[in-house]
Amino acid sequence: IRRQEVEIDKLKCKNTNYLNETERGKAACITMLQKYKDANERAEKMTSSYSSLEKEYQAQDATIRELQGQLRLAHEKQESGSKSHDNIQRHFLERVKVFSQER
């Protein structure tokens, strides 16, 4: 009987060790799950932040294209005005030359 009691105590001790190991494993799993959730939340925030930055970039890119178009139009108007000015000046100088020759 004593031998059986010793054997039962050994089995109880093993059982307690297994329970302790199971609890530690369970705690480790919970810790890993929480780390996974935290990492997932950070990834979602980064994705959201990236989406916001991408939208901002697209808006700025559209503004830049619009400003480039306005600048091109301004250059075209300037060139047109410059040609007009050159034509008026040429015409004026021709008139002065004719007037001078007539005198």
Side-chain angles (χ1 to χ4, degrees):
I1 292 180
R2 181 67 187 138
R3 197 180 306 157
Q4 288 178 343
E5 287 175 348
V6 169
E7 193 62 34
I8 289 173
D9 286 342
K10 285 182 184 178
L11 290 174
K12 283 182 182 179
C13 186
K14 278 186 180 182
N15 192 28
T16 301
N17 287 340
Y18 288 141
L19 286 174
N20 290 339
E21 286 295 320
T22 301
E23 287 300 314
R24 282 195 289 272
K26 182 179 171 183
C29 286
I30 289 171
T31 300
M32 292 304 292
L33 181 61
Q34 187 59 48
K35 286 182 181 181
Y36 170 79
K37 286 179 181 178
D38 293 345
N40 195 36
E41 285 177 17
R42 285 193 306 275
E44 286 176 7
K45 286 178 184 175
M46 289 172 70
T47 300
S48 175
S49 178
Y50 174 78
S51 295
S52 295
L53 288 172
E54 187 175 25
K55 287 176 186 174
E56 185 179 333
Y57 168 79
Q58 289 172 349
Q60 288 177 356
D61 190 50
T63 302
I64 288 170
R65 279 185 269 132
E66 181 182 337
L67 290 172
Q68 286 173 334
Q70 290 175 3
L71 184 61
R72 184 177 34 77
L73 288 174
H75 280 301
E76 289 172 3
K77 285 181 181 179
Q78 183 183 20
E79 286 177 15
S80 174
S82 181
K83 287 178 185 177
S84 254
H85 179 268
D86 290 346
N87 288 339
I88 291 169
Q89 190 176 20
R90 191 175 309 113
H91 180 70
F92 176 74
L93 291 173
E94 287 173 7
R95 298 280 294 170
V96 168
K97 186 177 180 182
V98 169
F99 179 73
S100 296
Q101 287 174 353
E102 289 176 357
R103 291 183 101 213

